[in-house]
Amino acid sequence: GFRSGLRECPGIQTRNGLHFYEGGFTKFRLVDRGGIPMKLEVIDMPAKRLAGVRHIGPYHEIGAAFGELGQKAGPLGLIRKPKTMMIGVYFDDPATTPVNELQSIAAITVEESDNIGDLAEAELPPGKYLQGEFVGHYSGLGEAWDQFYGKQIAEGGYTLRDGACFEVYVSDHDSTPPDELVTHLYAPIA
């Protein structure tokens, strides 16, 4: 579940057409040690209630779960709220878990009072996360995660803690060119 998570977050490739907008992240510092330039920020995140569609199997196939999420959450009025975050949460390390057993959830943040119908409910636990900002097509997310772990976390002196990794899809997928899509990567740190 959410609380028993990963020591190492997976390399993830998602292709979905969902997005969210959330402002207010500031104080970025640009880190470029070769590879993809990535803005990093340490975020102290409160707990978030999630509503979503669970996916079991290859992470790159989570797009179908996002499609189902959109079909169910739209009529409930959950997607268009201004602070809604569109999130992919990845629970298992693909290096140690068989691909057909990988667990993830395509989710949105919801308020405690929101009716989520038959969507799966989950909680993103509070805590400190390292946020990396990736700009580019979703097909580059696997490489972005590899660099996030191989360079930013390894060389930045950050200590990982147990917890799930997740992606937040910042850009409006419908109006943003694919090579300008913004995705935030989050890894739990001590």
Side-chain angles (χ1 to χ4, degrees), residues 57-80:
Y59 285 152
H60 69 270
E61 294 177 2
I62 197 174
F66 274 106
E68 185 180 338
L69 173 63
Q71 291 169 357
K72 291 183 174 183
L76 293 169
L78 299 174
I79 291 186
R80 295 296 175 195

Side-chain angles (χ1 to χ4, degrees), residues 21-50:
Y21 170 78
E22 165 124 316
F25 289 139
T26 55
K27 302 177 188 168
F28 284 115
R29 60 191 177 91
L30 188 63
V31 174
D32 185 2
R33 298 191 178 95
I36 305 166
M38 198 177 290
K39 295 176 183 175
L40 296 182
E41 185 179 7
V42 174
I43 303 285
D44 195 15
M45 186 175 291
K48 293 184 182 297
R49 180 186 183 216
L50 302 179

